[in-house]
Amino acid sequence: MDIVERFINYTKINTTTSRENGANGIMPSSPGQMELAKLLAVELEALGMENIEVRDTAIVTATLPANTDDAIPVVSFFGHLDTSAEQTADTKAQRLHYSGGDLCLNQELKIYLRESEFPELKNYIGDDLLVTDGTSLLGADDKAAIAAIMNALEYLVAHPEIKHGPVKVGFVPDEEQGLRGAKAFDVAAFGADFGYTLDCCGIGEFVYENWNAGDAEIIFTGQSAHPMSAKGKLKNSLLMAHKFIAMLPGGEAPEYTEGREGYYWVKQLQGNSARTVLKLDIRDFTEEGYKARMAYIRQLAVSTCALWGENSVVCHLTDRYANVFNSLQGDAHYPIDIALRAYQKCGITPQPVAMRGGYDGAVLSQKGLPCPNIFTGAHNFHSIYEYLPVRSLRAASDVVVAVIEETFAEFAQGRAQS
């Protein structure tokens, strides 16, 4: 099956994550994710994969057996089944040739992918782009990954002369809700030595650094009173929360930061005069910076509680995921080296980027499976202007094959002799 046809088939299944179901602990949070999981299991079986499993959480795993007697570590690849909840409509994907300028996605609704807004389009003049009709997400986040991985497996099966060790794949649900699928993934039972996610980024980009990420929930308890007799009695928890927010460091918010600059993100504020809940995301690339930010929130809660009275401010801090860079040092650095050689083998200049976000590989790495991130080639994730150059999608699949080849070369001829 052609990789473009494969990708478009996947986009026809609506796998929008459900925040409501996710908040209630349901996984997968949407039925389309299980539908896609079952379809992948059928396709994996047709390719001759072994140990195919579809769990009731919609986590899919399978193994391509080694075709060599050499002792080669088990390499693995991951994609996520769900798409973001920013748009919930069914995807109507289309393939359009891009000749430059603005690209019309929907003539009736006058929706255009405009070069002035997305200047990187100039890099794809002469290419075909996979886009929507402007009424939904494309779902390249992360169905491009799934298509690239499945295409690579199909290629390896069709070319048994390419020697390789065991190759495992994993497809997980609800990445768009705090990496829930990866957190539920059983790394030990999976049995891989290292892995790669494919998630985000234009052709050539390569991620082995992301946020240290934490969540803060601060509960403000006030004292309600009728306004006609409120003087000296009313203690407004909403105003307490606003004063707390005002004491956060100025300029250290997402809208003011870039690159490796960390931030505090005021993400949700809900309540009334009696009780208000504030939710914050805390992000920093360094472990020291992250710990300092979490400590600052904790101390601010203690100080404001002392100011406003006992139990007026309660703070809950939790770690979400760590910087994958922490798990790719020393003896665990080799997945980076292998991927960089694979890019070069495919004629692609590696472009390492620090991801201002999280991905499944960060969680998998924390669990003991070193896992950098390879590009899918797509742009404008979580937007109706999401697009995927066909050349980039094919390149992502080529890199997967090259990683498998370089893994064999590294361990059959290199490390095995050292």
Side-chain angles (χ1 to χ4, degrees), residues 81-372:
L81 302 165
D82 61 319
T83 57
S84 179
E86 271 79 5
Q87 300 283 335
T88 60
D90 290 343
T91 299
K92 298 180 178 65
Q94 52 184 331
R95 179 175 182 168
L96 300 178
H97 187 72
Y98 183 61
S99 301
D102 297 341
L103 184 66
C104 182
L105 304 182
N106 192 314
Q107 185 64 48
E108 181 181 355
L109 297 177
K110 307 298 182 186
I111 300 174
Y112 287 83
L113 187 61
R114 299 193 182 280
E115 187 183 89
S116 60
E117 296 179 32
F118 308 107
E120 69 277 2
L121 278 167
K122 295 177 182 178
N123 297 327
Y124 304 108
I125 293 174
D127 201 354
D128 285 358
L129 304 183
L130 300 173
V131 296
T132 73
D133 65 350
T135 64
S136 72
L137 306 182
L138 177 62
D141 179 12
D142 198 30
K143 290 168 183 170
I146 299 173
I149 293 167
M150 294 295 289
N151 186 73
L153 294 175
E154 184 177 45
Y155 183 84
L156 289 171
V157 170
H159 293 272
E161 71 277 9
I162 299 176
K163 297 301 180 183
H164 59 82
V167 179
K168 290 182 177 286
V169 296
F171 303 117
V172 299
D174 293 318
E175 186 268 354
E176 301 290 357
Q177 294 192 69
L179 318 181
R180 294 179 67 226
K183 289 177 179 178
F185 194 86
D186 190 337
V187 165
F190 188 53
D193 293 295
F194 66 109
Y196 301 88
T197 56
L198 282 74
D199 196 359
C200 104
C201 310
I203 184 171
E205 295 192 9
F206 182 46
V207 174
Y208 50 88
E209 185 177 4
N210 66 283
W211 290 127
N212 293 289
D215 303 322
E217 181 184 72
I218 302 102
I219 302 169
F220 301 89
T221 302
Q223 177 61 53
S224 60
H226 195 285
M228 71 171 135
S229 58
K231 186 174 181 179
K233 300 175 183 177
L234 175 63
K235 187 164 67 172
N236 193 326
S237 71
L238 281 165
L239 295 181
M240 292 159 61
H242 280 283
K243 290 176 182 177
F244 186 98
I245 292 169
M247 286 185 273
L248 295 174
E252 296 187 22
E255 59 268 36
Y256 304 122
T257 56
E258 62 183 353
R260 287 181 170 80
E261 298 172 330
Y263 60 66
Y264 305 87
W265 184 9
V266 177
K267 199 166 188 180
Q268 184 177 332
L269 184 66
Q270 187 173 13
N272 51 39
S273 62
R275 184 178 186 273
T276 297
V277 178
L278 169 65
K279 293 186 178 182
L280 301 172
D281 282 2
I282 294 95
R283 302 288 186 267
D284 204 284
F285 278 101
T286 70
E287 289 185 272
E288 296 79 9
Y290 172 69
K291 290 176 182 177
R293 289 181 184 279
M294 294 290 268
Y296 179 83
I297 294 297
R298 184 182 298 107
Q299 185 56 52
L300 185 56
V302 170
S303 299
T304 51
C305 186
L307 176 66
W308 293 322
E310 187 178 0
N311 297 324
S312 58
V313 183
V314 176
C315 178
H316 301 291
L317 298 175
T318 55
D319 299 320
R320 183 179 292 188
Y321 51 80
N323 189 340
V324 68
F325 188 75
N326 305 337
S327 302
L328 292 168
Q329 302 303 303
D331 290 341
H333 193 271
Y334 69 91
I336 296 175
D337 300 330
I338 288 172
L340 292 175
R341 290 199 299 273
Y343 277 50
Q344 292 161 351
K345 183 174 186 175
C346 294
I348 299 169
T349 300
Q351 302 172 39
V353 295
M355 181 186 284
R356 287 177 63 84
Y359 69 101
D360 285 328
V363 170
L364 297 171
S365 295
Q366 278 184 277
K367 291 185 172 187
L369 183 65
C371 201

